[in-house]
């Protein structure tokens, strides 16, 4: 075959369902979409098999229809949704097994949009949020900071310890100290907001003197 000259190659591939979901569909009737995504409700629980949970790219959330309004669509196959559904998934698994607050499952409410970041390989990164293109060393520092905060969740010292509330060991009691379902980047304390002019100028800067934390605070303020 012939060769096509190029300067840059972008290998862009879409998500594909896992063969296991189709196997389970044929073997036990697991509800899946035409593309093989496991159909779950807002608790990340299979709509056909209550003891099966799925999150991330392997599933599609089936939202209930509300009156005559258009049915809400499942979020796109992007890592941010898998990451943010993680705390909800582990909490609901714990509750389903009778190890946490056994009364109700937690609802996962995916955000409408998300911050898109990609490394450029030279110490800078590209970003996009609210229709605003972002670029510079500060964008790389922001992505690195977000990634490291996420990986810190898997440090043993950050894992919760579940303890029996009544000290018994009969296998039927709920546990206290449930998992924290707040997001890893949840804002605890926010500095005062910048005015619109200065906030806009900050996000458009590409120099190395930009404080990524200040820029991230602007992006967070724009979410509310």
């Amino acid at each position: 075959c012939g060769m096509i000259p190029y300067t840059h190659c972008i290998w862009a591939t879409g998500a594909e369902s896992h063969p296991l979901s189709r196997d389970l569909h044929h073997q036990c009737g697991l509800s899946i979409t035409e593309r093989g995504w496991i159909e779950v409700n807002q608790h990340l629980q299979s709509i056909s098999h209550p003891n099966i949970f799925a999150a991330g790219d392997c599933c599609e959330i089936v939202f209930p229809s509300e009156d005559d309004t258009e049915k809400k669509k499942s979020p796109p196959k992007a890592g941010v949704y898998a990451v943010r559904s993680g705390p909800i998934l582990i909490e609901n698994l714990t509750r389903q097994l009778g190890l946490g607050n056994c009364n109700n499952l937690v609802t996962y409410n995916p955000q409408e949009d998300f911050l898109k970041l990609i490394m450029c390989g030279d110490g800078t990164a590209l970003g996009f949020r609210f229709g605003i293109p972002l670029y510079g060393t500060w964008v790389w520092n922001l992505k690195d900071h977000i990634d490291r905060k996420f990986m810190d969740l898997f440090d043993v010292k950050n894992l919760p310890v579940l303890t029996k509330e009544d000290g018994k060991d009969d296998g039927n009691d709920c546990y206290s100290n449930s998992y924290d379902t707040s997001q890893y980047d949840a804002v605890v304390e926010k500095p005062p907001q910048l005015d619109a002019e200065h906030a806009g100028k900050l996000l458009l800067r590409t120099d190395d003197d930009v404080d990524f934390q200040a820029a991230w605070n602007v992006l967070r303020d724009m979410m509310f």
Side-chain angles (χ1 to χ4, degrees), residues 42-207:
Q42 284 186 273
H43 307 304
L44 306 177
Q45 180 183 39
S46 166
I47 64 173
S48 61
H49 293 67
N51 287 328
I52 293 180
F53 288 76
D57 289 356
C58 71
C59 73
E60 182 160 314
I61 302 175
V62 179
F63 293 96
S65 300
E66 299 180 1
D67 301 325
D68 296 328
T69 59
E70 184 178 354
K71 191 173 182 180
K72 187 176 180 180
K73 294 182 179 179
S74 184
K77 307 301 180 187
V80 63
Y81 294 105
V83 168
R84 293 186 180 280
S85 64
I88 307 300
L89 175 64
I90 194 169
E91 175 66 13
N92 284 341
L93 285 172
T94 303
R95 294 187 180 195
Q96 188 75 359
L97 293 171
L99 303 178
N101 182 342
C102 308
N103 297 322
N104 298 295
L105 297 180
V106 179
T107 298
Y108 171 53
N109 295 305
Q111 62 201 71
E112 294 294 331
D113 197 5
F114 59 98
L115 174 63
K116 305 167 184 68
L117 298 168
I118 184 171
M119 301 291 197
C120 296
D122 59 356
T124 64
L126 290 167
F128 192 79
R129 187 72 163 107
F130 303 111
I132 304 173
L134 314 168
Y135 174 74
T137 301
W138 73 265
V139 184
W140 188 98
N141 289 331
L142 173 58
K143 177 167 174 54
D144 183 64
H145 176 73
I146 292 174
D147 291 345
R148 289 179 183 274
K149 285 194 66 176
F150 172 65
M151 293 306 298
D152 284 345
L153 295 177
F154 301 95
D155 192 310
V156 175
K157 66 177 181 291
N158 293 328
L159 297 177
V161 177
L162 300 181
T163 56
K164 279 286 187 68
E165 291 181 341
D166 60 1
K168 297 180 181 179
D169 190 22
D170 55 13
N172 297 317
D173 301 298
C174 293
Y175 282 62
S176 60
N177 302 331
S178 295
Y179 291 96
D180 182 4
T181 57
S182 62
Q183 296 300 333
Y184 69 97
D185 59 349
V187 179
V188 178
E189 295 182 3
K190 289 172 48 177
Q193 291 188 11
L194 295 178
D195 62 80
E197 180 180 358
H198 286 89
K201 289 181 177 180
L202 177 63
L203 294 181
L204 294 178
R205 285 174 56 183
T206 60
D207 59 274

